[in-house]
Amino acid sequence: MKKVTSDPPACTGNVLAMRDTLDILGGKWKLIILHYLTYRDSEINTFKKIERDIEGISSKVLSKELKDLELNKLVIREVQNTKPVSVKYSISEYGKSTETLILQIVNWGKKHRIKMIKETL
Amino acid sequence: MKKVTSDPPACTGNVLAMRDTLDILGGKWKLIILHYLTYRDSEINTFKKIERDIEGISSKVLSKELKDLELNKLVIREVQNTKPVSVKYSISEYGKSTETLILQIVNWGKKHRIKMIKETL
DNA sequence: CAGCATCCCGTGGGATACTG
DNA sequence: CAGTATCCCACGGGATGCTG
């Protein structure tokens, strides 16, 4: 007889899936970058522009994060044909699939902050 | 005239909200613990049981994570009146509010994995 | 059993400077 | 302008052992 009770202790499948997501979207900047690119999809987002707009990120970290995101097909990198070479980054169709997730994270954070404020009164 | 265009560059409010969420739920284990407690809410989840079920976590890390979660009212800690003292942890009502978020993360991870597999064919 | 004290290591990520 | 090279540090988190 096979066990037909609940899933195994830690629900391995779900845990793996969480880890996958965390690996790809985790860290301090990835979600912020994706969110930024999603909402500025109509603009030309060059490396410099992103670096300027996302407060506190260094060029080293930005380039690394963008590379990771590009590897996972979340972001598209295009070299522009301009005099001082410039590079344009944009969100991919697939990258847009993260937006509901991101909004959820944003909303939870906002609600949490409100709750905390209320409780401190 | 006030600017009525779009939000400021990095959408500061949203960025802060993301950071809040990441601070509270980020890291390697918090989501896994919350997910675990949510799905085992009908059981008595002692420290030992959790440690046994969540593969790979050490007692030091587990106790730290639980403390953090308790501080943020996501988890409830109750000392049991047993001979060798035992402690029961359970998800709070508030803690349950993370579940939709977690499911979203799980689902994104699963979809991503499927996508990756398809593309490697 | 719960969980703290120690020790320790890898690495995410910051600062600065440099190159094509 | 885009991106790399170094250097460096804080800290998340693992292993082991100890105590109430």
Side-chain angles (χ1 to χ4, degrees), chain A residues 46-48 63 67 77 87 89:
Chain A
T46 65
F47 187 89
K48 199 61 179 179
S63 89
K67 202 177 284 177
R77 179 182 184 274
V87 178
Y89 290 91

Side-chain angles (χ1 to χ4, degrees), chain A residues 87-102:
Chain A
V87 178
K88 170 193 171 191
Y89 290 91
S90 50
I91 190 93
S92 71
E93 267 317 304
Y94 182 47
K96 288 179 187 169
S97 76
T98 61
E99 195 53 19
T100 57
L101 184 51
I102 291 177

